Amino acid sequence: MFRLRPLRSARRSFSTYSKSERTQSRQRLAATSAVVAASVIVYSGLKHATIQNDSLPSSSFNPEYSSEKSKGSRPNSDDTLNTLVWGSNSSQKLLPSDSQSESIRSPTIAKWLDNVALRDLVLHKKYAACVDARGDVYQWGQGVEPSLLLKGQNIVQLQSTDAKIYALSSSGRIYALETGPTQQSSEQVSHTRSNSSWWATGWIWGREVIGAFQEIVPRTQLSWGEKFISISAGNDHLLGLTSAGRAFAHPINNDANAYGQLGFRKFDVPDTSSQSKERIPVELVPKSIADPYAKASPFKRGIFESTAEQTTAAPLQFCPDIFEIPSLQGIKISQLIAGGRSSFALTSTGRVLGWGANEYGQIGLGDNVTLNTITVPTEVILWRMAQGAQTKCLNVSAGGDLTCFTVERTTQADTPRSSRTIELLLSGNGQYGSLGNNLYTNAQGSPIRARNISNLTEYDDETKGLRPITPDSISVSPTGHVLLTLNSNLGRDLLAWGRNYDSELGNGKRSGLAVPTTLIDSDGERFLLRRKKAKEVLDFQGIIWKRGVEVEQKAVAGYNSSAVFWKVST
């Protein structure tokens, strides 16, 4: 049994830094201001409260604890880890026991997570899930108290979809979990696998494993020592990257390749109707090919309808396999990212390939490419606006119909005084201001530079020169807002922009922002994300996991909601 302390009166806000820390920060700022003048950083402030992170439950998911803990607006001590949440709480995914608040307008402490450091956190439409410090998976939301989904598999990463949660273990195994509480408790351990394809509670290789799950296995055999190191899920498809730089894709349902986002059309699945090992061939044809006259006049559609009816696919059964993308074989991939209905591969040489849905120009192929569907991985040209400079993509982030490219540009590369700058380019749906260029644009095919966070530099004491200020992390929400952590000598600023209908930007308002803007705490200070050594870290059940652990705050943009949690390195 697990016990969580009450959530009803546990909402409070406070500054992320103490007064002494802020004084030291001002002194450092004053000492370096003369030098940093060469580098202009323009930030607009969001008027809002910030908070720190993390503390934890004890032993029963019955939310009953003393309300005295929630009094006041300051943390109990600087050693406390506090998780901060804001945005839509209509399904109680932010504060499970607070059914009164439809939205949380400012960063608020999730008191029930005090002193809990996590490995990963996802915020889906109606539920949230996390991996605690021990590598166990928990889920809550939709009126359901936090429940244990998977224990004993040492999970390091989660990806959420409507029907399933996908988990990646430290050993490189991918598991599919049902998005609902496990029906079996630890007292009901059967120590055996179930006869069905879904494994029930049991023992695997001497380790106790609790939860219903199925492993997603590669259809193509991996090399010796090769394993999956990252996964990324869209609305209907999952991408997996191996340590050897190979790209794989997994179909979640019949819409997995509706826009060609899988990168292949034909595959096979096991025949579950019989005990044989036979496999059934499946072909998922993109809509643009299956119905090329979808947007044509009624006259043309009438000619094509009879043929289209014959090509209607049967419902896809659950597929337990993940398949290598044929067109990317032989290309070493360093990052594989899924948008809502699109896919992106960053090569080891800094080039980007994109494919899938492109109605809003989210793949970034340029304004002249008006195709709604790109079925073949196609290179994204990122050097149109910087002729004469060497361009290399460092990172790709995507969510929904929006894509962010972190690009490095180097000029005068043959001389000792070569200059290096970092730009953030965005493409796709910008109707909520998500492109960050101070415009509200429905579609943007050519990646455009975001304001306030591109081409920033600061003085480097070691090199006695200027160096670029780079984004530390970027989280893109499927619903249209972005959280970016900007890393400089003066700290890790949290910036936000885009959609704000449910106060997911955390500025106390509900109007969107079209320019990256720094979050401001209740004392008027910048919202800085911290790194530190935690005195102690608790797991999700309130049990001490380790002491003296290095943790850092990480921002997550989910469906109509946001959170800042303490992340423990794995």
Side-chain angles (χ1 to χ4, degrees):
M1 296 294 293
F2 302 91
R3 179 176 309 211
L4 292 187
R5 288 161 288 190
L7 308 174
R8 283 188 286 265
S9 57
R11 297 176 54 186
R12 56 197 174 105
S13 301
F14 57 86
S15 169
T16 52
Y17 276 79
S18 64
K19 291 184 177 180
S20 61
E21 288 175 311
R22 289 195 295 269
T23 301
Q24 294 175 5
S25 177
R26 292 191 190 101
Q27 291 173 349
R28 289 195 300 268
L29 178 62
T32 58
S33 59
V35 186
V36 179
S39 168
V40 180
I41 305 177
V42 182
Y43 288 151
S44 302
L46 293 181
K47 219 171 183 179
H48 193 52
T50 69
I51 315 110
Q52 301 189 53
N53 228 29
D54 247 270
S55 194
L56 176 63
S58 68
S59 142
S60 168
F61 285 132
N62 184 9
E64 296 179 353
Y65 64 77
S66 171
S67 61
E68 294 178 3
K69 297 248 182 187
S70 61
K71 291 181 179 179
S73 61
R74 296 285 172 181
N76 296 330
S77 70
D78 291 338
D79 295 327
T80 304
L81 305 177
N82 298 107
T83 295
L84 317 177
V85 295
W86 62 94
S88 174
N89 191 47
S90 58
S91 60
Q92 292 87 57
K93 63 183 178 183
L94 301 181
L95 299 178
S97 290
D98 189 352
S99 59
Q100 303 300 320
S101 301
E102 288 290 322
S103 63
I104 303 171
R105 293 201 171 189
S106 60
T108 299
I109 297 174
K111 193 71 177 64
W112 62 288
L113 288 174
D114 276 354
N115 289 328
V116 175
L118 306 174
R119 295 185 179 184
D120 202 4
L121 173 69
V122 293
L123 303 171
H124 202 61
K125 297 176 183 177
K126 295 184 178 180
Y127 70 86
C130 74
V131 185
D132 72 355
R134 294 188 188 275
D136 300 331
V137 181
Y138 296 83
Q139 180 199 347
W140 61 93
Q142 305 182 75
V144 178
E145 295 295 337
S147 306
L148 176 65
L149 282 188
L150 182 63
K151 177 180 180 181
Q153 291 295 69
N154 198 18
I155 302 302
V156 296
Q157 185 188 2
L158 288 183
Q159 290 290 291
S160 61
T161 66
D162 290 345
K164 290 179 176 61
I165 297 173
Y166 290 87
L168 176 68
S169 72
S170 60
S171 61
R173 296 176 180 270
I174 302 174
Y175 302 103
L177 315 174
E178 292 289 354
T179 56
T182 302
Q183 300 299 322
Q184 293 167 302
S185 66
S186 57
E187 289 81 7
Q188 298 172 313
V189 179
S190 63
H191 308 306
T192 59
R193 294 182 186 176
S194 65
N195 294 328
S196 67
S197 60
W198 287 85
W199 297 352
T201 305
W203 288 80
I204 295 183
W205 294 324
R207 290 178 292 132
E208 184 182 13
V209 177
I210 298 177
F213 64 92
Q214 175 157 348
E215 182 177 355
I216 307 298
V217 296
R219 193 75 174 96
T220 305
Q221 186 174 3
L222 301 183
S223 304
W224 178 261
E226 184 180 9
K227 67 176 184 178
F228 286 98
I229 57 175
S230 71
I231 56 175
S232 182
N235 297 341
D236 308 294
H237 73 298
L238 177 79
L239 301 178
L241 178 66
T242 73
S243 54
R246 296 165 68 187
F248 287 73
H250 163 76
I252 296 176
N253 53 39
N254 269 52
D255 293 326
N257 201 43
Y259 297 89
Q261 62 263 47
L262 275 182
F264 53 86
R265 292 165 49 177
K266 297 181 179 180
F267 56 95
D268 53 20
V269 297
D271 185 0
T272 57
S273 62
S274 64
Q275 298 297 327
S276 65
K277 295 184 178 180
E278 294 182 359
R279 300 181 68 89
I280 302 173
V282 177
E283 182 175 8
L284 297 181
V285 182
K287 291 180 179 179
S288 62
I289 298 176
D291 190 359
Y293 296 100
K295 297 184 178 181
S297 65
F299 174 76
K300 288 187 177 181
R301 279 211 52 78
I303 300 175
F304 184 76
E305 276 178 357
S306 58
T307 306
E309 290 175 358
Q310 298 176 3
T311 60
T312 302
L316 174 66
Q317 299 177 354
F318 177 77
C319 178
D321 302 311
I322 187 168
F323 306 88
E324 186 171 10
I325 301 175
S327 56
L328 297 181
Q329 291 180 0
I331 301 176
K332 187 174 178 58
I333 306 299
S334 61
Q335 188 184 17
L336 197 60
I337 296 296
R341 298 164 299 140
S342 54
S343 303
F344 298 90
L346 175 62
T347 69
S348 58
T349 58
R351 294 190 171 189
V352 180
L353 302 173
W355 64 101
N358 193 47
E359 304 106 311
Y360 300 97
Q362 58 262 48
I363 296 181
L365 299 179
D367 295 330
N368 293 329
V369 178
T370 58
L371 296 175
N372 289 339
T373 301
I374 307 297
T375 58
V376 178
T378 305
E379 184 171 4
V380 180
I381 307 301
L382 298 172
W383 53 84
R384 286 191 178 94
M385 296 186 297
Q387 296 182 358
Q390 293 183 356
T391 300
K392 178 181 180 181
C393 185
L394 304 179
N395 181 77
V396 180
S397 302
D401 298 317
L402 183 69
T403 311
C404 302
F405 306 95
T406 304
V407 175
E408 175 190 77
R409 303 200 192 278
T410 306
T411 57
Q412 299 177 351
D414 298 332
T415 68
R417 289 180 164 266
S418 61
S419 63
R420 175 173 164 264
T421 58
I422 302 295
E423 295 182 356
L424 184 68
L425 307 180
L426 296 97
S427 62
N429 187 354
Q431 64 175 322
Y432 306 112
S434 309
L435 296 173
N437 63 339
N438 204 26
L439 296 175
Y440 294 87
T441 307
N442 286 340
Q444 179 66 41
S446 295
I448 191 168
R449 185 184 298 113
R451 295 192 178 188
N452 294 354
I453 51 178
S454 297
N455 297 324
L456 302 179
T457 57
E458 64 183 355
Y459 185 75
D460 185 3
D461 290 329
E462 295 183 359
T463 62
K464 307 299 181 183
L466 296 178
R467 68 178 180 187
I469 298 177
T470 61
D472 185 68
S473 66
I474 304 171
S475 183
V476 183
S477 165
T479 50
H481 74 285
V482 185
L483 297 180
L484 180 143
T485 306
L486 197 62
N487 193 12
S488 70
N489 286 333
L490 302 177
R492 299 166 64 226
D493 291 88
L494 180 60
L495 295 89
W497 70 95
R499 185 184 186 275
N500 197 31
Y501 291 176
D502 295 287
S503 302
E504 51 264 57
L505 297 184
N507 62 346
K509 303 177 181 178
R510 303 189 72 172
S511 56
L513 292 171
V515 176
T517 308
T518 53
L519 286 172
I520 302 299
D521 66 22
S522 57
D523 294 330
E525 302 289 339
R526 296 147 52 206
F527 192 143
L528 298 177
L529 302 186
R530 297 187 294 162
R531 293 186 178 101
K532 70 176 183 178
K533 180 176 287 188
K535 204 169 187 180
E536 64 180 28
V537 169
L538 307 180
D539 64 15
F540 208 84
Q541 299 180 25
I543 302 172
I544 295 178
W545 175 63
K546 284 183 181 179
R547 290 184 170 87
V549 180
E550 294 291 339
V551 293
E552 66 176 0
Q553 286 181 304
K554 182 178 180 180
V556 175
Y559 280 83
N560 308 318
S561 56
S562 305
V564 171
F565 69 96
W566 287 95
K567 179 178 174 63
V568 59
S569 58
T570 55

